Amino acid sequence: MEKVNSVLDKSTSRETWELYNQECEKLKSDLACHSNELHFLQELLDRYFEEIVHNENLDEVRESLMRFQDLCYNCGRLKKRLKDHQDHLIDIIKGSTNYDPDMLFQEQSWIVKCKSSLMKDFKTVKKEILNIANNVIQINKDNNDIVFLH
């Protein structure tokens, strides 16, 4: 598992909240990039769906698609929690005194760990989907080569 580089600190200073907020901004940026890649993978699956169902092992495809759906769901869930957490941090930076530092620290820690796990899952699912699409493309190419030979 990759090491999580984090500025997590249990102090309750304004600088700590600002560092948490900066970390949230970086995480949001990373999630936006991965969301774009998930969208691309969804388009790839949509484009080759019929060929995938026709040419691939359906049990393996079903498992990969379930992991893909779980990844999309978890990405959306993390984005929402990240937004809520960041909104809370901004309120604190602006002077709100209604917060529990331990809960904020726990939420920040959870978000960082979840993001790390999500990135690991993302790499696995992306590789699976690209392999499935590549197999379909290769089969189509081989079939087209046979047609042109006759």
PDB file of all heavy atoms in Angstrom, residues 90-116:
ATOM      1  N   ILE A  90     -13.572  25.628   6.148  1.00  0.00           N
ATOM      2  CA  ILE A  90     -13.655  27.041   5.756  1.00  0.00           C
ATOM      3  C   ILE A  90     -14.415  27.831   6.810  1.00  0.00           C
ATOM      4  O   ILE A  90     -14.021  28.948   7.166  1.00  0.00           O
ATOM      5  CB  ILE A  90     -14.280  27.177   4.351  1.00  0.00           C
ATOM      6  CG1 ILE A  90     -13.289  26.643   3.302  1.00  0.00           C
ATOM      7  CG2 ILE A  90     -14.656  28.618   4.052  1.00  0.00           C
ATOM      8  CD1 ILE A  90     -13.864  26.483   1.916  1.00  0.00           C
ATOM      9  N   ASP A  91     -15.493  27.247   7.336  1.00  0.00           N
ATOM     10  CA  ASP A  91     -16.225  27.915   8.418  1.00  0.00           C
ATOM     11  C   ASP A  91     -15.321  28.150   9.624  1.00  0.00           C
ATOM     12  O   ASP A  91     -15.352  29.214  10.238  1.00  0.00           O
ATOM     13  CB  ASP A  91     -17.439  27.087   8.849  1.00  0.00           C
ATOM     14  CG  ASP A  91     -18.564  27.110   7.824  1.00  0.00           C
ATOM     15  OD1 ASP A  91     -18.543  28.002   6.940  1.00  0.00           O
ATOM     16  OD2 ASP A  91     -19.453  26.240   7.905  1.00  0.00           O
ATOM     17  N   ILE A  92     -14.514  27.169   9.962  1.00  0.00           N
ATOM     18  CA  ILE A  92     -13.604  27.298  11.107  1.00  0.00           C
ATOM     19  C   ILE A  92     -12.564  28.389  10.838  1.00  0.00           C
ATOM     20  O   ILE A  92     -12.285  29.223  11.702  1.00  0.00           O
ATOM     21  CB  ILE A  92     -12.916  25.951  11.408  1.00  0.00           C
ATOM     22  CG1 ILE A  92     -13.948  24.961  11.940  1.00  0.00           C
ATOM     23  CG2 ILE A  92     -11.775  26.138  12.408  1.00  0.00           C
ATOM     24  CD1 ILE A  92     -13.453  23.536  11.995  1.00  0.00           C
ATOM     25  N   ILE A  93     -12.016  28.392   9.637  1.00  0.00           N
ATOM     26  CA  ILE A  93     -11.014  29.408   9.279  1.00  0.00           C
ATOM     27  C   ILE A  93     -11.622  30.802   9.352  1.00  0.00           C
ATOM     28  O   ILE A  93     -10.964  31.763   9.776  1.00  0.00           O
ATOM     29  CB  ILE A  93     -10.423  29.120   7.874  1.00  0.00           C
ATOM     30  CG1 ILE A  93      -9.564  27.839   7.924  1.00  0.00           C
ATOM     31  CG2 ILE A  93      -9.610  30.297   7.365  1.00  0.00           C
ATOM     32  CD1 ILE A  93      -9.167  27.288   6.568  1.00  0.00           C
ATOM     33  N   LYS A  94     -12.906  30.908   9.004  1.00  0.00           N
ATOM     34  CA  LYS A  94     -13.585  32.210   9.055  1.00  0.00           C
ATOM     35  C   LYS A  94     -13.990  32.612  10.471  1.00  0.00           C
ATOM     36  O   LYS A  94     -14.491  33.705  10.684  1.00  0.00           O
ATOM     37  CB  LYS A  94     -14.827  32.192   8.156  1.00  0.00           C
ATOM     38  CG  LYS A  94     -14.491  32.174   6.681  1.00  0.00           C
ATOM     39  CD  LYS A  94     -15.765  32.159   5.850  1.00  0.00           C
ATOM     40  CE  LYS A  94     -15.452  32.172   4.374  1.00  0.00           C
ATOM     41  NZ  LYS A  94     -16.669  32.087   3.568  1.00  0.00           N
ATOM     42  N   GLY A  95     -13.800  31.708  11.442  1.00  0.00           N
ATOM     43  CA  GLY A  95     -14.055  32.101  12.820  1.00  0.00           C
ATOM     44  C   GLY A  95     -15.118  31.331  13.564  1.00  0.00           C
ATOM     45  O   GLY A  95     -15.400  31.634  14.716  1.00  0.00           O
ATOM     46  N   SER A  96     -15.742  30.339  12.958  1.00  0.00           N
ATOM     47  CA  SER A  96     -16.742  29.544  13.662  1.00  0.00           C
ATOM     48  C   SER A  96     -16.071  28.820  14.835  1.00  0.00           C
ATOM     49  O   SER A  96     -14.971  28.301  14.711  1.00  0.00           O
ATOM     50  CB  SER A  96     -17.355  28.515  12.723  1.00  0.00           C
ATOM     51  OG  SER A  96     -18.190  27.631  13.416  1.00  0.00           O
ATOM     52  N   THR A  97     -16.725  28.833  15.956  1.00  0.00           N
ATOM     53  CA  THR A  97     -16.153  28.161  17.123  1.00  0.00           C
ATOM     54  C   THR A  97     -16.867  26.864  17.437  1.00  0.00           C
ATOM     55  O   THR A  97     -16.554  26.202  18.415  1.00  0.00           O
ATOM     56  CB  THR A  97     -16.240  29.082  18.359  1.00  0.00           C
ATOM     57  OG1 THR A  97     -17.604  29.442  18.564  1.00  0.00           O
ATOM     58  CG2 THR A  97     -15.391  30.314  18.196  1.00  0.00           C
ATOM     59  N   ASN A  98     -17.802  26.482  16.595  1.00  0.00           N
ATOM     60  CA  ASN A  98     -18.592  25.281  16.833  1.00  0.00           C
ATOM     61  C   ASN A  98     -17.961  24.098  16.083  1.00  0.00           C
ATOM     62  O   ASN A  98     -18.391  23.743  15.003  1.00  0.00           O
ATOM     63  CB  ASN A  98     -20.026  25.504  16.362  1.00  0.00           C
ATOM     64  CG  ASN A  98     -20.927  24.344  16.729  1.00  0.00           C
ATOM     65  OD1 ASN A  98     -20.586  23.527  17.575  1.00  0.00           O
ATOM     66  ND2 ASN A  98     -22.069  24.282  16.082  1.00  0.00           N
ATOM     67  N   TYR A  99     -16.935  23.502  16.676  1.00  0.00           N
ATOM     68  CA  TYR A  99     -16.306  22.359  16.051  1.00  0.00           C
ATOM     69  C   TYR A  99     -15.629  21.506  17.103  1.00  0.00           C
ATOM     70  O   TYR A  99     -15.305  21.947  18.192  1.00  0.00           O
ATOM     71  CB  TYR A  99     -15.305  22.782  14.985  1.00  0.00           C
ATOM     72  CG  TYR A  99     -14.097  23.516  15.548  1.00  0.00           C
ATOM     73  CD1 TYR A  99     -12.956  22.816  15.916  1.00  0.00           C
ATOM     74  CD2 TYR A  99     -14.102  24.895  15.713  1.00  0.00           C
ATOM     75  CE1 TYR A  99     -11.851  23.471  16.436  1.00  0.00           C
ATOM     76  CE2 TYR A  99     -12.998  25.562  16.230  1.00  0.00           C
ATOM     77  CZ  TYR A  99     -11.872  24.837  16.593  1.00  0.00           C
ATOM     78  OH  TYR A  99     -10.786  25.484  17.103  1.00  0.00           O
ATOM     79  N   ASP A 100     -15.410  20.251  16.746  1.00  0.00           N
ATOM     80  CA  ASP A 100     -14.695  19.306  17.594  1.00  0.00           C
ATOM     81  C   ASP A 100     -13.391  18.957  16.872  1.00  0.00           C
ATOM     82  O   ASP A 100     -13.419  18.286  15.837  1.00  0.00           O
ATOM     83  CB  ASP A 100     -15.552  18.057  17.795  1.00  0.00           C
ATOM     84  CG  ASP A 100     -14.876  16.986  18.624  1.00  0.00           C
ATOM     85  OD1 ASP A 100     -13.689  17.150  18.981  1.00  0.00           O
ATOM     86  OD2 ASP A 100     -15.538  15.971  18.913  1.00  0.00           O
ATOM     87  N   PRO A 101     -12.256  19.409  17.378  1.00  0.00           N
ATOM     88  CA  PRO A 101     -10.973  19.165  16.705  1.00  0.00           C
ATOM     89  C   PRO A 101     -10.690  17.690  16.466  1.00  0.00           C
ATOM     90  O   PRO A 101     -10.170  17.322  15.408  1.00  0.00           O
ATOM     91  CB  PRO A 101      -9.933  19.762  17.660  1.00  0.00           C
ATOM     92  CG  PRO A 101     -10.676  20.698  18.525  1.00  0.00           C
ATOM     93  CD  PRO A 101     -12.081  20.208  18.601  1.00  0.00           C
ATOM     94  N   ASP A 102     -11.062  16.830  17.424  1.00  0.00           N
ATOM     95  CA  ASP A 102     -10.820  15.395  17.248  1.00  0.00           C
ATOM     96  C   ASP A 102     -11.641  14.824  16.093  1.00  0.00           C
ATOM     97  O   ASP A 102     -11.142  14.019  15.311  1.00  0.00           O
ATOM     98  CB  ASP A 102     -11.122  14.627  18.531  1.00  0.00           C
ATOM     99  CG  ASP A 102     -10.061  14.847  19.599  1.00  0.00           C
ATOM    100  OD1 ASP A 102      -8.889  15.109  19.236  1.00  0.00           O
ATOM    101  OD2 ASP A 102     -10.406  14.773  20.788  1.00  0.00           O
ATOM    102  N   MET A 103     -12.901  15.258  15.990  1.00  0.00           N
ATOM    103  CA  MET A 103     -13.738  14.781  14.881  1.00  0.00           C
ATOM    104  C   MET A 103     -13.194  15.264  13.535  1.00  0.00           C
ATOM    105  O   MET A 103     -13.194  14.515  12.562  1.00  0.00           O
ATOM    106  CB  MET A 103     -15.193  15.220  15.065  1.00  0.00           C
ATOM    107  CG  MET A 103     -15.918  14.398  16.115  1.00  0.00           C
ATOM    108  SD  MET A 103     -17.689  14.718  16.170  1.00  0.00           S
ATOM    109  CE  MET A 103     -18.203  14.217  14.545  1.00  0.00           C
ATOM    110  N   LEU A 104     -12.730  16.510  13.492  1.00  0.00           N
ATOM    111  CA  LEU A 104     -12.153  17.020  12.246  1.00  0.00           C
ATOM    112  C   LEU A 104     -10.894  16.250  11.871  1.00  0.00           C
ATOM    113  O   LEU A 104     -10.678  15.919  10.701  1.00  0.00           O
ATOM    114  CB  LEU A 104     -11.843  18.514  12.363  1.00  0.00           C
ATOM    115  CG  LEU A 104     -13.049  19.422  12.238  1.00  0.00           C
ATOM    116  CD1 LEU A 104     -12.683  20.848  12.610  1.00  0.00           C
ATOM    117  CD2 LEU A 104     -13.614  19.368  10.839  1.00  0.00           C
ATOM    118  N   PHE A 105     -10.067  15.969  12.852  1.00  0.00           N
ATOM    119  CA  PHE A 105      -8.860  15.199  12.601  1.00  0.00           C
ATOM    120  C   PHE A 105      -9.215  13.804  12.089  1.00  0.00           C
ATOM    121  O   PHE A 105      -8.623  13.315  11.128  1.00  0.00           O
ATOM    122  CB  PHE A 105      -8.009  15.095  13.876  1.00  0.00           C
ATOM    123  CG  PHE A 105      -6.797  14.227  13.699  1.00  0.00           C
ATOM    124  CD1 PHE A 105      -5.666  14.709  13.064  1.00  0.00           C
ATOM    125  CD2 PHE A 105      -6.800  12.913  14.177  1.00  0.00           C
ATOM    126  CE1 PHE A 105      -4.548  13.897  12.897  1.00  0.00           C
ATOM    127  CE2 PHE A 105      -5.690  12.106  14.012  1.00  0.00           C
ATOM    128  CZ  PHE A 105      -4.556  12.593  13.372  1.00  0.00           C
ATOM    129  N   GLN A 106     -10.197  13.161  12.718  1.00  0.00           N
ATOM    130  CA  GLN A 106     -10.626  11.826  12.296  1.00  0.00           C
ATOM    131  C   GLN A 106     -11.163  11.845  10.863  1.00  0.00           C
ATOM    132  O   GLN A 106     -10.865  10.960  10.064  1.00  0.00           O
ATOM    133  CB  GLN A 106     -11.676  11.266  13.250  1.00  0.00           C
ATOM    134  CG  GLN A 106     -11.128  10.863  14.586  1.00  0.00           C
ATOM    135  CD  GLN A 106     -12.230  10.462  15.571  1.00  0.00           C
ATOM    136  OE1 GLN A 106     -13.411  10.443  15.226  1.00  0.00           O
ATOM    137  NE2 GLN A 106     -11.832  10.134  16.787  1.00  0.00           N
ATOM    138  N   GLU A 107     -11.974  12.862  10.553  1.00  0.00           N
ATOM    139  CA  GLU A 107     -12.530  12.960   9.200  1.00  0.00           C
ATOM    140  C   GLU A 107     -11.423  13.192   8.174  1.00  0.00           C
ATOM    141  O   GLU A 107     -11.410  12.575   7.117  1.00  0.00           O
ATOM    142  CB  GLU A 107     -13.574  14.085   9.129  1.00  0.00           C
ATOM    143  CG  GLU A 107     -14.256  14.208   7.787  1.00  0.00           C
ATOM    144  CD  GLU A 107     -15.191  13.050   7.435  1.00  0.00           C
ATOM    145  OE1 GLU A 107     -15.400  12.142   8.274  1.00  0.00           O
ATOM    146  OE2 GLU A 107     -15.714  13.047   6.313  1.00  0.00           O
ATOM    147  N   GLN A 108     -10.484  14.070   8.509  1.00  0.00           N
ATOM    148  CA  GLN A 108      -9.361  14.340   7.601  1.00  0.00           C
ATOM    149  C   GLN A 108      -8.547  13.058   7.387  1.00  0.00           C
ATOM    150  O   GLN A 108      -8.182  12.741   6.257  1.00  0.00           O
ATOM    151  CB  GLN A 108      -8.476  15.456   8.168  1.00  0.00           C
ATOM    152  CG  GLN A 108      -7.396  15.931   7.233  1.00  0.00           C
ATOM    153  CD  GLN A 108      -7.886  16.922   6.204  1.00  0.00           C
ATOM    154  OE1 GLN A 108      -9.011  17.423   6.275  1.00  0.00           O
ATOM    155  NE2 GLN A 108      -7.063  17.203   5.214  1.00  0.00           N
ATOM    156  N   SER A 109      -8.289  12.331   8.448  1.00  0.00           N
ATOM    157  CA  SER A 109      -7.548  11.064   8.357  1.00  0.00           C
ATOM    158  C   SER A 109      -8.306  10.052   7.500  1.00  0.00           C
ATOM    159  O   SER A 109      -7.718   9.370   6.653  1.00  0.00           O
ATOM    160  CB  SER A 109      -7.312  10.473   9.747  1.00  0.00           C
ATOM    161  OG  SER A 109      -6.531  11.322  10.530  1.00  0.00           O
ATOM    162  N   TRP A 110      -9.632   9.950   7.735  1.00  0.00           N
ATOM    163  CA  TRP A 110     -10.445   9.017   6.963  1.00  0.00           C
ATOM    164  C   TRP A 110     -10.394   9.370   5.471  1.00  0.00           C
ATOM    165  O   TRP A 110     -10.256   8.486   4.621  1.00  0.00           O
ATOM    166  CB  TRP A 110     -11.895   9.028   7.460  1.00  0.00           C
ATOM    167  CG  TRP A 110     -12.751   8.057   6.697  1.00  0.00           C
ATOM    168  CD1 TRP A 110     -12.956   6.749   6.985  1.00  0.00           C
ATOM    169  CD2 TRP A 110     -13.480   8.327   5.490  1.00  0.00           C
ATOM    170  NE1 TRP A 110     -13.770   6.178   6.033  1.00  0.00           N
ATOM    171  CE2 TRP A 110     -14.107   7.125   5.099  1.00  0.00           C
ATOM    172  CE3 TRP A 110     -13.656   9.460   4.696  1.00  0.00           C
ATOM    173  CZ2 TRP A 110     -14.896   7.031   3.963  1.00  0.00           C
ATOM    174  CZ3 TRP A 110     -14.450   9.371   3.565  1.00  0.00           C
ATOM    175  CH2 TRP A 110     -15.065   8.160   3.207  1.00  0.00           C
ATOM    176  N   ILE A 111     -10.511  10.632   5.147  1.00  0.00           N
ATOM    177  CA  ILE A 111     -10.506  11.074   3.754  1.00  0.00           C
ATOM    178  C   ILE A 111      -9.182  10.713   3.083  1.00  0.00           C
ATOM    179  O   ILE A 111      -9.160  10.195   1.961  1.00  0.00           O
ATOM    180  CB  ILE A 111     -10.796  12.587   3.659  1.00  0.00           C
ATOM    181  CG1 ILE A 111     -12.276  12.845   3.967  1.00  0.00           C
ATOM    182  CG2 ILE A 111     -10.420  13.145   2.293  1.00  0.00           C
ATOM    183  CD1 ILE A 111     -12.634  14.305   4.151  1.00  0.00           C
ATOM    184  N   VAL A 112      -8.076  10.959   3.759  1.00  0.00           N
ATOM    185  CA  VAL A 112      -6.759  10.652   3.190  1.00  0.00           C
ATOM    186  C   VAL A 112      -6.609   9.148   2.981  1.00  0.00           C
ATOM    187  O   VAL A 112      -6.148   8.700   1.928  1.00  0.00           O
ATOM    188  CB  VAL A 112      -5.636  11.217   4.088  1.00  0.00           C
ATOM    189  CG1 VAL A 112      -4.276  10.710   3.654  1.00  0.00           C
ATOM    190  CG2 VAL A 112      -5.665  12.735   4.064  1.00  0.00           C
ATOM    191  N   LYS A 113      -7.014   8.343   3.963  1.00  0.00           N
ATOM    192  CA  LYS A 113      -6.920   6.881   3.831  1.00  0.00           C
ATOM    193  C   LYS A 113      -7.839   6.369   2.726  1.00  0.00           C
ATOM    194  O   LYS A 113      -7.466   5.484   1.951  1.00  0.00           O
ATOM    195  CB  LYS A 113      -7.261   6.206   5.156  1.00  0.00           C
ATOM    196  CG  LYS A 113      -6.179   6.368   6.202  1.00  0.00           C
ATOM    197  CD  LYS A 113      -6.609   5.769   7.523  1.00  0.00           C
ATOM    198  CE  LYS A 113      -5.594   6.104   8.600  1.00  0.00           C
ATOM    199  NZ  LYS A 113      -6.043   5.721   9.930  1.00  0.00           N
ATOM    200  N   CYS A 114      -9.033   6.908   2.665  1.00  0.00           N
ATOM    201  CA  CYS A 114      -9.995   6.490   1.645  1.00  0.00           C
ATOM    202  C   CYS A 114      -9.475   6.828   0.249  1.00  0.00           C
ATOM    203  O   CYS A 114      -9.593   6.031  -0.673  1.00  0.00           O
ATOM    204  CB  CYS A 114     -11.343   7.155   1.899  1.00  0.00           C
ATOM    205  SG  CYS A 114     -12.652   6.565   0.826  1.00  0.00           S
ATOM    206  N   LYS A 115      -8.897   7.999   0.116  1.00  0.00           N
ATOM    207  CA  LYS A 115      -8.336   8.414  -1.178  1.00  0.00           C
ATOM    208  C   LYS A 115      -7.221   7.457  -1.591  1.00  0.00           C
ATOM    209  O   LYS A 115      -7.141   7.042  -2.744  1.00  0.00           O
ATOM    210  CB  LYS A 115      -7.825   9.847  -1.102  1.00  0.00           C
ATOM    211  CG  LYS A 115      -7.383  10.403  -2.445  1.00  0.00           C
ATOM    212  CD  LYS A 115      -5.923  10.638  -2.467  1.00  0.00           C
ATOM    213  CE  LYS A 115      -5.474  11.205  -3.790  1.00  0.00           C
ATOM    214  NZ  LYS A 115      -4.035  11.209  -3.916  1.00  0.00           N
ATOM    215  N   SER A 116      -6.384   7.068  -0.665  1.00  0.00           N
ATOM    216  CA  SER A 116      -5.296   6.138  -0.953  1.00  0.00           C
ATOM    217  C   SER A 116      -5.848   4.794  -1.436  1.00  0.00           C
ATOM    218  O   SER A 116      -5.382   4.240  -2.436  1.00  0.00           O
ATOM    219  CB  SER A 116      -4.441   5.948   0.297  1.00  0.00           C
ATOM    220  OG  SER A 116      -3.431   5.025   0.059  1.00  0.00           O
TER     221      SER A 116
END
